[in-house]
Amino acid sequence: MKIVRVEDIKGTEREVEGPGWTSRRLLLKKDGMGFSFHETIIPAGAELHLWYKYHLEAVYCVEGDGEIVDLDTDETHKIENGTLYALDKNDRHILRGGKKDMRLICAFNPPVTGRETHDADGAYNLVEEE
């Protein structure tokens, strides 16, 4: 059994920041669950161009507001508390923070190792080794 508390992750190597986001990695590849699990904070007004070419991602909003734009269809969807979106086709997208910071709970498959960084396309490279 694994017990992980977000407060214990803050300020450690499992809390990773980039332009317009902070990710707290609760479960990583080395935890052996077959997926990784994160709490991600998107500040109000942030705009991220993302394309997880090598990962599927499910995201559940538990606080705040924003929107996601599907770059293949140009559809825009509102995100608020209680909204889930799933990037089930490695969807290219823009994630925008709204008027309040968004707190998102995210699962990645395959799991991330925690060492990934966004490339020029906004993707995490597929890291095989720990």
Side-chain angles (χ1 to χ4, degrees), residues 49-53 92 118-123:
H49 293 248
L50 301 167
W51 179 23
Y52 295 121
K53 297 182 255 186
R92 293 179 318 114
H118 290 104
D119 66 14
D121 290 329

Side-chain angles (χ1 to χ4, degrees), residues 54-107:
Y54 311 109
H55 297 86
L56 300 178
E57 182 187 25
V59 179
Y60 184 67
C61 180
V62 296
E63 188 175 320
D65 66 310
E67 64 183 20
I68 187 168
V69 180
D70 183 327
L71 291 175
D72 291 329
T73 66
D74 288 326
E75 291 179 287
T76 300
H77 305 276
K78 183 177 179 179
I79 300 171
E80 59 190 359
N81 183 20
T83 303
L84 177 131
Y85 65 87
L87 303 171
D88 60 339
K89 296 180 182 83
N90 305 97
D91 309 271
R92 293 179 318 114
H93 61 286
I94 296 172
L95 183 60
R96 291 189 184 112
K99 294 179 181 175
K100 299 178 185 174
D101 292 355
M102 277 192 293
R103 187 164 65 100
L104 307 171
I105 306 303
C106 315

Side-chain angles (χ1 to χ4, degrees), residues 33-44:
M33 295 294 294
F35 60 91
S36 57
F37 197 74
H38 315 225
E39 176 188 74
T40 300
I41 308 300
I42 306 297

